Structure formats: structure tokens, C-alpha cells
Amino acid sequence: MIGAQWGDEGKGKITDLLSKSADVVVRYQGGVNAGHTVVVDGQTFKLHLIPSGILYPDTECVIGSGTVIDPGSLIQELDTLERLNVSTEKLYISETAHVTMPYHRLIDQASEEKRGSKKIGTTKRGIGPTYADKSERTGIRVVDLMDYDALREQLEWTIQYKNGILEKLYGLDPLDPKAVLDEYIQYAERLRPHVIDSSLHVYKAIQQRQNVLFEGAQGTLLDLDHGTYPYVTSSNPVAGGACIGAGIGPTVVDRVIGVAKAYTTRVGEGPFPTELHCDVGSLLCERGAEFGTTTGRQRRCGWFDAVIGRYAVRINGLDCLAITKLDVLDDVDEIKVCVAYDLDGETRKELPGSARQFARCQPVYETLPGWNTSTSDCRSLDDLPKQALDYLKFLAELMKVPIAIVSLGASRDQTIIVEDPIHGPKRALLQEGNSQKSPSRVG
């Protein structure tokens, strides 16, 4: 299950919803820069590293090797859940996941500030520098964290090297290697009971014909290789990234579910063709509570962009969509949908690869009537106003993929299940949607 926009699509709620039918939920990329919000019985849970399936006591949750783990933040998350009487006994952590260290956070913060007007808009949580060390083969993994001597030897050289960068490039104070070692050894002891060979664990679950749900963080347009570079994250949120980040082969994946808002939002820097700088944009922000779970930053809001929607369908091989926050549009008189871009006088229906070209794209809109009535209590398609149903059908037609779930609020029960993506179809909103795989297969 992946985000089909720039992240913040409401994946936490959809993962929580699907986790009821899942035996194992696997988070396969990203770090504490992710934020998933789940509301159950009026209680709000904010998750960053731990998969959203944690709220089901019988569901196993795995943090895969493709993630980067800030152990201090993870322990805070564990403590918060346990205070709320949520069991974390079935949380497992990959021994080969990389660890975010104090110097990663410091370098991330200093680097972003040094960029000035060229800043990317990172969360400053050290995610990029952690992945950079992973690629440079100087990173520290969870398995190293579990070995005092190995960690001490690695930190002796690494912190000396990183201190040179902190002092000479950024003018910051150096880190004390012993203080860092002592801090992280304490983390290791707390996390040790959860550390496993996660790839083997997931493989065994698949061999036993269990339902395994792979949970992506961020969104397709933030993918390092396929997103709107350079305004992207440092990992691969797209569906293909699940295989690498979880340590499984592509042939075991039965279904790919995309999550998209009924409009579009974006956090941080970068081009945003359908962004609204008007009262409607403010309305979407206010009604949608568009503030980041991780940073609290206000999200930029705009109309639904079918160009990036079609791109997400293609890049991920989406079988179906979950459309969230339809209720946010309840009081909008007219709703616009971007169906193409105007790039220097030429109509483009595909996303340009050049960031400079993308910045010049102007949206080509089609306008649909609003419904001006509340949808938050709707629990079936028949309950929806005709204009709301027509809007959903229009989106499905544009992207040539069926809509399986419609979310109309933050709570679990504020949802219309058109078709169960895990246990097979009941009734597809777009029957002629181009699903790449047989919908009768288990998700």
C-alpha cells in the first residue's frame, strides 16, 4: 500500500483499516520523517516508525531493512503506545536496518540551513545523511548496535570523521564518542528483544499463506528515483521499493493499493501546479487539518492532479485506489480537476522529468459541480450525493483504475468499502478499470 501523491494521503488510516485482515504489516522504507495518524474510538495515535497495524493485538508488525531507525525516537514511540495500553510485544525490527546517529541529525539541520533559498524542505531528522552513509558503506546497522565492541570500534573512526565535517564545514561543536556510545548502548538493550532477521520472518509468513501488508511511507512523487527530484525523500516509497526494503521477491506481491486524497497537498519546497492561493485553498487546509504529523508544518493545498495520479498508477502498477478526505470538499461549490498541463503552449498529459519544466507547467482544468452537503455519515455509495459519486467516477475514469475505498473522516468507521482489497472484490466503482492483476487473488 503506497501513497499516490506527495505523501500525507491518509495512509495511516487505510493501513489500520486493512490491518484487520492482515497477519503481518511491514514498513519497508523511510524513517521518523514519516507520520501516520490513526483515530480509533475518538483516540488519536500518531505513528512514525511503527507500522499502523500495531493497534491490532494479533497483527505482527515489522520494521524492515529498508528503513532507517532513530532508536531514541522509536523508544519514545514504544513508551507512548504502552502508556495507551497498546501492546508492542509483536513489533519486530530488522537487524540489517540502518541507524540514525546524532551526527546525522546535526548535519541534516546544518546542511538545510546552509542551502538558504535552495533548501529542499527536509524534516531535519537526519534521514538523508543516514541513507548517504548507507550508500557510502560507512553506516551503522541495528546488528552493530547490539554488539558493544563492534559499535565502539565503528564510532571511534566515524565520529572523528564526522566531527571534522561538523567543525570545519558547519562551525558546530564536536560530539563526544563515549557519550554517544553510552547513549546508544542503552537504546540497544531496550530494543534487543525486538530485533530479528526480518526478511526470513516475512518469508516464512508468506510460505504459510499469511496475509502480509507492505506499508509505504511518504508518496510516489517523493520517490528518490521517480519523484519530483530534487524535492524528494531519500528512499523509494514506490511499490517496487517494498521488495528491496522488506527483503522479498516481486513474485509474491499479489496486489498494489494506492492512496490519494480527493484533492492534493504537498509539504516543503518544490513545484505544485494545482496549488491554491485563495479562500478555497485555506478552506481545504482548515477542513482537512492539513498540518504535518511529524513536523507540524502547514501543508500546501490544491486541486486533484490527475497527471500525477496517472503517473502513480503507471510507476506502481496500481490495482485499485483508496480515496481519502472526500468530506473536505463538502462545502466547495465547484471542484476542479487537473487533467493535463500546459507547458510553454504545449499540452502535456505526462509528468515532465525536468524540474525546471515541471515548475513551468500550468494546470488544464475540468470543472465539476460540488454537492454542498455533508458526506461524513455516508457508509455506502448509495448514501453519497450524486455529485460526489460522479466526482469519484470521474477520477476513476481519468486514472483507469478502480476505487476500492472511500474515506470520509479520520475515524475507522467513516469509510465506504467498495471492494475489500485483501479478500477479493465485491463491487468495483469502475468496473472497466485496467487492473494489472486478477482482482480475485489475495492481497
Side-chain angles (χ1 to χ4, degrees), residues 175-196:
L175 291 166
D176 178 357
K178 185 178 184 306
V180 174
L181 177 63
D182 291 344
E183 177 186 358
Y184 275 69
I185 285 298
Q186 290 182 26
Y187 294 154
E189 292 312 305
R190 172 67 191 281
L191 298 177
R192 191 180 299 277
H194 299 278
V195 177
I196 63 167

Side-chain angles (χ1 to χ4, degrees), residues 364-381:
V364 177
Y365 287 122
E366 289 197 26
T367 303
L368 286 80
W371 42 93
N372 286 302
T373 187
S374 175
T375 59
S376 61
D377 292 330
C378 295
R379 297 296 179 267
S380 72
L381 293 181

Side-chain angles (χ1 to χ4, degrees), residues 276 280 283-284 303 329-337 366-372 391:
L276 292 169
V280 175
L283 174 68
L284 297 179
W303 297 119
L329 298 176
D330 284 352
D331 296 326
V332 180
D333 293 330
E334 288 186 335
I335 302 169
K336 295 183 179 181
V337 176
E366 289 197 26
T367 303
L368 286 80
W371 42 93
N372 286 302
Y391 179 66

Side-chain angles (χ1 to χ4, degrees), residues 301-375:
C301 297
W303 297 119
F304 189 92
D305 189 331
V307 178
I308 68 172
R310 288 191 297 264
Y311 181 76
V313 171
R314 171 165 63 88
I315 291 294
N316 295 289
L318 295 185
D319 290 294
C320 62
L321 279 167
I323 298 294
T324 63
K325 296 195 173 185
L326 182 68
D327 58 301
V328 174
L329 298 176
D330 284 352
D331 296 326
V332 180
D333 293 330
E334 288 186 335
I335 302 169
K336 295 183 179 181
V337 176
C338 173
V339 297
Y341 297 147
D342 182 302
L343 176 59
D344 302 332
E346 177 186 352
T347 300
R348 297 280 293 266
K349 292 191 175 182
E350 300 296 337
L351 190 73
S354 163
R356 293 175 66 87
Q357 286 186 343
F358 188 46
R360 298 200 304 274
C361 285
Q362 298 298 315
V364 177
Y365 287 122
E366 289 197 26
T367 303
L368 286 80
W371 42 93
N372 286 302
T373 187
S374 175
T375 59

Side-chain angles (χ1 to χ4, degrees), residues 13 19 21 55 75 85 159 163 178 187 196 253 263 304 318 429 441:
K13 174 182 173 175
S19 294
S21 302
L55 301 181
I75 289 169
N85 296 318
I159 289 190
N163 277 343
K178 185 178 184 306
Y187 294 154
I196 63 167
V253 177
Y263 49 101
F304 189 92
L318 295 185
L429 183 61
R441 297 175 69 185

